[in-house]
Structures are given as C-alpha cells and as structure tokens.
Amino acid sequence: MNKVDKAIIMAAGQGTRLRPITLTTPKPLVKVNGKAMIETAIEALKENGIHEIYIVVGYLKEQFQYLKEKYDGITILENNLYDKYNNIYSLYVARDYIENAIILDGDQIIFHKEILAPEFEKSGYNCVWVEEPTKEWLLQVENGSVTSCSRTGGNKGWQLYSVSRWTKEDGKRLKKHLEIEFDEKKNTDIFWDDVALFCYPKEYDLGIFEMKKDDIIEIDTVNELIALDASYQNLGKDLDR
C-alpha cells in the first residue's frame, strides 16, 4: 500500500467561465456559502494528515498569500505563464514534488474528506461510474487497470475527476515525461493529464479511486454557483439583463 505525504493544488487559471466574479477574484478563492473553494480542499487534506501542501498560482496570485498565514505547511509556487501555456506548465512548476503526492484542482468543492484519503494501491484518478452519456473525460477499466481514456466522453465508464495520486516511482516517471514534453518537444498546449493518459500510456499502470458524484462539486458557470449559494442570485439577474 502506498501513502500520500504531500499535495499539489492547481490554482493558476483565470476561471473565465465564471466571469464577472473572476474578473476580481481567482476562481479557487470564490466563496461558496462563506468558504473559499480551495479551503475545502486544504481542510480535507489536513484532516487526512496531509500537511505538506504546494499551491500553484498565477492569475491574481497575490490574493492567495493569506493561505500561508491561515494554514501551516502551505508553500506557494508561481506559474507566471498561466496566460500563455496550458496547465502542463503548472505541474511542470511543481514537478519536484510529485512523488507520493495527491494532485487536485483548487476550484472544486470537497464535500467528503474521505475522497482525499492518503492510502492508495496504485497511481490513478478519483472516478465516478456513469451510465448516462457525458462529455467529460471517461476511462475504461479492466482488472483494476485503466485501459483507455476518451477526451470527448461517452457512456458507461468511469468519469475522471481532478484528483489523482502518484506513487514514488510514477512521480519520478511523470517528472521526466513532463520535462520531455515541455522542454524538448515544446508541447505547451496540452493538459498535464495528457502526459500519462495519452503521451506515455504504456509506461503507467493506472487505477482508479472510486467515489460518488456528490463527493465533489465542480462549478463551471454562474448559474451553477447560484444553485449552491443563493447570495449570488442578484448577479444572475444582472447577467439576464
């Protein structure tokens, strides 16, 4: 059994789909029912005994500094090219910390801390089984191992969520592959998840960490935000005008 001893939270993006809120506030710091989304992740990590936390910031980066004072064990890493490259560069910035790490996005709400448990058998992603059609990334699994991934979704498969765990060996491997793709191939427009799932799939034996759909909430639009927090209702009315 492997065990996570550190976390990398990806929080550099501009959150354009949640404008106008994100014109002045980074999406991970948008409050839902009084708490910033990223803080639900930090607190869940700490409740699982994961206290070494690296947060990769970019857009409106100075607003994240308060987290270092509020929580112990926080290190801020800067992605100064967040508006130029895809998120492969965010993980590239944090590539020295991938071994025995859990990687997650900071712009999602963690409802149940158990889904960030540190113990895991093999590297892989948190997933939810879906029967109905989805446009999200969808994994097929046989005998506990991921056999394929569809970027365009499908039906009847394991929907991938932005939480993944990496063993010491796979962390070293992922760091090497990130450097090859970014430094040598100049492959700057891909998601970091593409590296293991599409660029070098035969070099990883990935599994899944099963969870339920309501364990994590991803907010992509203002209407989805309003559905969770009625205090944003007036903003929705303004957008309708």
Side-chain angles (χ1 to χ4, degrees):
M1 185 68 69
N2 298 289
K3 188 173 183 179
V4 166
D5 59 25
K6 66 182 75 69
I8 299 170
I9 301 179
M10 313 284 269
Q14 300 179 69
T16 56
R17 287 186 289 178
L18 212 59
R19 288 177 178 171
I21 299 171
T22 51
L23 291 174
T24 55
T25 304
K27 187 179 175 185
L29 297 185
V30 171
K31 290 185 177 181
V32 181
N33 298 315
K35 181 173 290 187
M37 288 188 271
I38 196 172
E39 292 192 45
T40 69
I42 293 171
E43 292 175 4
L45 288 167
K46 288 185 167 293
E47 289 174 10
N48 277 290
I50 304 168
H51 300 288
E52 183 181 341
I53 301 173
Y54 299 88
I55 304 176
V56 184
V57 303
Y59 178 64
L60 299 176
K61 61 186 179 182
E62 66 282 349
Q63 294 189 31
F64 291 89
Q65 293 301 317
Y66 82 94
L67 294 171
K68 294 171 62 177
E69 300 176 3
K70 187 171 183 177
Y71 300 99
D72 293 333
I74 300 290
T75 300
I76 301 291
L77 304 175
E78 293 188 12
N79 170 358
N80 292 320
L81 300 173
Y82 67 89
D83 57 347
K84 184 177 181 181
Y85 300 138
N86 209 333
N87 75 357
I88 184 176
Y89 188 61
S90 282
L91 193 60
Y92 178 91
V93 167
R95 65 192 185 281
D96 289 333
Y97 309 106
I98 303 175
E99 297 176 24
N100 291 324
I102 187 169
I103 305 172
L104 63 158
D105 285 351
D107 61 351
Q108 54 193 354
I109 302 171
I110 307 298
F111 275 106
H112 299 114
K113 67 179 182 180
E114 293 78 13
I115 65 169
L116 302 187
E119 295 81 12
F120 66 109
E121 292 187 12
K122 61 169 66 174
S123 301
Y125 287 83
N126 278 35
C127 293
V128 171
W129 175 258
V130 293
E131 294 275 346
E132 67 280 3
T134 178
K135 294 181 180 180
E136 302 296 333
W137 288 30
L138 203 64
L139 303 178
Q140 299 301 324
V141 177
E142 293 182 12
N143 300 318
S145 294
V146 174
T147 57
S148 65
C149 176
S150 168
R151 288 191 187 90
T152 55
N155 63 311
K156 292 189 177 180
W158 291 97
Q159 182 178 330
L160 177 153
Y161 279 73
S162 298
V163 177
S164 61
R165 296 165 178 79
W166 301 86
T167 65
K168 183 180 181 69
E169 295 73 20
D170 284 337
K172 291 180 179 178
R173 191 173 291 116
L174 186 53
K175 176 185 177 181
K176 179 185 72 174
H177 291 152
L178 282 165
E179 291 172 343
I180 291 172
E181 292 302 308
F182 191 83
D183 291 329
E184 298 179 20
K185 296 185 178 181
K186 308 299 181 185
N187 204 355
T188 59
D189 292 330
I190 62 174
F191 294 105
W192 75 261
D193 310 89
D194 285 315
V195 175
L197 288 170
F198 293 102
C199 299
Y200 303 93
K202 293 182 179 180
E203 298 195 38
Y204 297 86
D205 178 20
L206 300 180
I208 62 169
F209 188 104
E210 296 184 32
M211 65 177 195
K212 298 177 181 178
K213 191 172 184 179
D214 63 352
D215 287 333
I216 290 180
I217 298 295
E218 297 178 337
I219 299 175
D220 291 324
T221 67
V222 171
N223 286 335
E224 290 175 355
L225 178 60
I226 292 170
L228 287 175
D229 187 339
S231 68
Y232 291 98
Q233 190 71 47
N234 288 335
L235 180 61
K237 293 178 181 177
D238 291 340
L239 291 176
D240 290 337
R241 291 175 183 172

